[in-house]
Amino acid sequence: MLSQQLVNGVLLGATYALFALGFTLMFGVLRVINLTYGFYFSAGAFIALFATRQWGFSIWLALPLAAIGSGLIAVLLDWLLLTRLRAKGAPELASLMVTLGAVLALYSAMTLLFGPDIRRLPPDVIGADALVFAGIRVTQAQFLVVGTTAVLVLALVALMRGTRLGVGIRAMAERPDAAELMGIDTARLAALVSFLSGFLAGAGGVLIGLNFNAIQPYMGEQMMLRGFVVIIVGGLGDLRGALIAGLLLGVIEVLTAGYLDSGLKEAVAFAILVAVLWTRPSGLFGQAVLRRA
Amino acid sequence: MTYPPWLDDFLWTYQNVIHALGINGLLALSMYVVLAVGQLSLGQAAFMGLGAYSSALMTLKLHLPFFVVLPASCVVPALFALAIGVPTLRLSGVYLAIATIGLGEVLRAIYLNLDVLGGALGLSGIPQRTETWMIYLLLIVAIAVLWRVGHSRIGRAMEAMREDPNAAQVMGVNVQRYRLGALVASAVLAGVAGALGAHASNFIGPNEYGFEPAVTILSYALLGGIGTPFAPVLGAWILTLLPEVLRGFSDFRGVFNGLIIVLAVLFLPNGLLALRMKRRAA
């Protein structure tokens, strides 16, 4: 029983980690808490919904399509909302407010277009039978979740550590003005980082949609609480921290639901957020630079 | 209190709008207090919900009289403001913003899941104890107090720390304490507004204090600007009246209020009413 719950927790945590990675990447490099991030998640799920329902795509095609689509939406929104403020060197709360207003407008517009009802992916999009090892059940959807997360995390690490682009992104995260002077095209890298974040969020939206089979416009907003907990606990801008904190949060939520009450999941997650802010505001792993006022 | 018959008719017909104008004015002021010290709290709707739920429980379960319930309704929001404000306000502003949005989401989940709080159905049968004059009296008092504070030494300190917290700190302003005071004051205002709203409408539910109301309250303050306490109230009135005046507008309210924030930040950083307080040199 416990081992089954631990496995479920890790699988749930993998989606949280995937979702939070893009969020924390965006903050780490662009120095903006971009609240439109939750919308990329919803957008990814809706693109996959249309791809599978209307056009009859398989999930193997719908998943990358949704991720790329969300990535492009992220680039467009970043360009529309934030380039101007970035050029002016506006305070970080100004960009936070802009993205907050934009995301309410986007969710509301999406609800007007598609309605507030919960939609589902076609039932045959992925096999329903589960695999059982040593008494632990893992569904095919859960396999897809953990496999996709692992591939995306490895690809992200390879990009950041092993390529010139990754070096550029890390340089920009450290000192944008110095990076610019060293001949790095920071505007282009900002667009690339937005694309990567949107890509991760969009993929996360499809995977959560697949796992819980409930897709509706505000699903990204409901995911943001997990995103906040993970990026604060992992340390703002810390990719490795987000990965670990995401997995931990998944396990804690599943254990809370299993042994206490499933209605307390969110409360426990938030209590962890507040406890970390009180005791270790730079995150549990102490990697992120503490941004004091 | 008795009103002349024509006024009584008018109040009866437009009672809901008149209540909403006053309550949203109080909420806009609660946002103003935080923005005035250069911070961003997105928990105004959450604080309002805490005031609404705690006051409704005091009335429904403890049968306390309204003159006790109303002042007591600010206690729970103030405690939450302290629990979130103390750790976050020593950090950069994004931490408070994140923690307060998170608070709204968590409370919604708690209201939905706890049976004592009525779950998805909310709490109904709340007796109507709010009188129109109470709302407007509180609104006037709040504006007057904020106006006085804005013209005092405290107001100068608040403006200084909004412009440059480090410089203000060097000049001897206890930035941390002012920020915390402002956050608690804003939670108190929002909590009282929530209690007034709950006892004006007979029903409260988990979705009334969620993400959309939180953003809407910010749009009040940004439309009006934060130059004087009148400005956010005017912003609230415009955005509350629009859906009443324009038919079919209420469907687009979320889109509109969101775009107000985007446009205000990008193009009108001082708000629609770019008024500033005038004061004589000290």
Side-chain angles (χ1 to χ4, degrees):
Chain A
M1 189 61 192
L2 178 65
S3 52
Q4 173 75 59
Q5 286 188 330
L6 287 175
V7 169
N8 287 346
V10 169
L11 294 170
L12 179 66
T15 51
Y16 291 169
L18 186 63
F19 178 74
L21 271 179
F23 198 22
T24 207
L25 174 71
M26 203 171 235
F27 182 82
V29 181
L30 305 179
R31 296 280 160 220
V32 170
I33 292 289
N34 187 335
L35 296 174
T36 58
Y37 190 74
F39 176 76
Y40 315 152
F41 186 79
S42 304
F46 267 85
I47 294 172
L49 186 73
F50 277 88
T52 49
R53 280 238 176 244
Q54 313 282 347
W55 309 323
F57 284 20
S58 77
I59 193 72
W60 306 107
L61 213 56
L63 176 61
L65 184 75
I68 292 170
S70 311
L72 294 176
I73 292 172
V75 174
L76 177 71
L77 284 174
D78 180 82
W79 178 73
L80 276 175
L81 299 171
L82 296 173
T83 38
R84 196 187 148 95
L85 291 174
R86 210 175 286 135
K88 273 201 305 193
E92 54 193 357
L93 288 184
S95 10
L96 202 156
M97 282 194 262
V98 165
T99 57
L100 177 73
V103 81
L104 175 63
L106 289 165
Y107 284 134
S108 306
M110 206 171 175
T111 311
L112 282 175
L113 277 175
F114 302 116
D117 306 331
I118 290 177
R119 290 149 175 266
R120 299 182 195 292
L121 293 166
D124 56 345
V125 76
I126 194 155
D129 40 325
L131 292 125
V132 182
F133 313 92
I136 296 173
R137 276 171 54 88
V138 182
T139 64
Q140 292 183 34
Q142 286 174 320
F143 259 116
L144 183 64
V145 168
V146 80
T148 312
T149 307
V151 168
L152 289 178
V153 168
L154 290 177
L156 187 65
V157 171
L159 174 79
M160 295 292 277
R161 295 277 148 195
T163 66
R164 282 183 66 85
L165 273 178
V167 175
I169 291 174
R170 283 187 290 142
M172 193 176 153
E174 212 142 295
R175 283 283 301 271
D177 43 349
E180 180 98 46
L181 290 175
M182 294 298 117
I184 292 171
D185 183 348
T186 50
R188 202 170 59 104
L189 279 192
L192 176 70
V193 167
S194 295
F195 178 80
L196 289 174
S197 313
F199 189 95
L200 293 169
V206 182
L207 295 177
I208 281 274
L210 201 62
N211 232 351
F212 294 107
N213 213 355
I215 294 173
Q216 47 105 356
Y218 276 92
M219 64 189 285
E221 168 49 29
Q222 285 151 16
M223 194 68 179
M224 285 305 265
L225 173 64
R226 270 70 177 208
F228 293 142
V229 176
V230 172
I231 65 169
I232 298 275
V233 172
L236 276 183
D238 183 346
L239 292 176
R240 194 174 45 171
L243 188 61
I244 300 170
L247 293 173
L248 268 179
L249 181 65
V251 172
I252 290 171
E253 280 200 1
V254 168
L255 292 181
T256 308
Y259 294 99
L260 292 171
D261 182 338
S262 72
L264 290 175
K265 277 186 307 194
E266 287 87 359
V268 169
F270 189 70
I272 295 171
L273 169 75
V274 174
V276 167
L277 284 174
W278 273 92
T279 52
R280 285 191 67 95
S282 55
L284 282 188
F285 312 105
Q287 295 286 317
V289 184
L290 186 57
R291 291 164 61 73
R292 283 189 184 275
Chain B
M1 198 179 249
T2 49
Y3 300 107
W6 62 269
L7 184 60
D8 208 46
D9 269 3
F10 179 80
L11 288 177
W12 179 250
T13 315
Y14 294 102
Q15 197 186 34
N16 289 339
V17 183
I18 293 168
H19 285 169
L21 286 173
I23 289 170
N24 291 344
L26 282 169
L27 291 169
L29 287 176
S30 85
M31 191 76 237
Y32 162 84
V33 178
V34 184
L35 291 173
V37 293
Q39 294 288 302
L40 176 60
S41 156
L42 300 168
Q44 300 326 105
F47 294 138
M48 181 194 182
L50 287 168
Y53 269 92
S54 64
S55 68
L57 286 180
M58 282 187 266
T59 301
L60 290 173
K61 308 271 163 173
L62 303 177
H63 307 290
L64 292 175
F66 197 52
F67 71 87
V68 176
V69 170
L70 190 60
S73 65
C74 64
V75 174
V76 179
L79 290 176
F80 272 80
L82 281 174
I84 289 181
V86 172
T88 51
L89 287 172
R90 58 201 161 125
L91 308 166
S92 94
V94 297
Y95 287 88
L96 178 66
I98 288 179
T100 46
I101 308 184
L103 177 69
E105 290 296 313
V106 164
L107 290 175
R108 203 179 70 93
I110 291 176
Y111 299 146
L112 274 174
N113 288 315
L114 280 189
D115 292 336
V116 183
L117 303 176
L121 297 174
L123 292 172
S124 52
I126 304 167
Q128 306 233 342
R129 299 265 165 86
T130 301
E131 303 283 345
T132 308
W133 62 264
M134 295 178 188
I135 301 176
Y136 284 88
L137 181 67
L138 281 168
L139 183 64
I140 291 168
V141 170
I143 292 177
V145 169
L146 291 173
W147 177 265
R148 283 298 303 160
V149 168
H151 282 80
S152 70
R153 222 181 126 78
I154 302 174
R156 286 161 202 272
M158 286 164 73
E159 198 170 320
M161 55 191 275
R162 182 168 79 228
E163 299 299 327
D164 187 338
N166 293 328
Q169 183 93 50
V170 170
M171 298 305 288
V173 175
N174 190 334
V175 171
Q176 172 76 359
R177 187 175 297 172
Y178 275 104
R179 284 179 180 167
L180 195 59
L183 185 68
V184 171
S186 102
V188 165
L189 273 172
V192 170
L196 288 169
H199 290 81
S201 76
N202 161 350
F203 163 82
I204 55 175
N207 293 321
E208 289 174 46
Y209 309 106
F211 181 69
E212 185 168 342
V215 186
T216 304
I217 295 169
L218 177 65
S219 68
Y220 298 157
L222 289 189
L223 179 66
I226 54 164
T228 78
F230 294 107
V233 175
L234 190 71
W237 287 3
I238 293 173
L239 289 181
T240 310
L241 282 178
L242 267 182
E244 305 293 333
V245 178
L246 298 178
R247 201 188 279 212
F249 178 81
S250 59
D251 288 344
F252 296 92
R253 199 160 39 179
V255 178
F256 187 81
N257 291 349
L259 288 179
I260 290 268
I261 296 181
V262 174
L263 297 177
V265 177
L266 289 181
F267 303 111
L268 294 170
N270 294 321
L272 183 74
L273 297 173
L275 305 171
R276 295 183 75 88
M277 286 199 187
K278 292 201 184 69
R279 46 168 91 86
R280 274 169 275 148

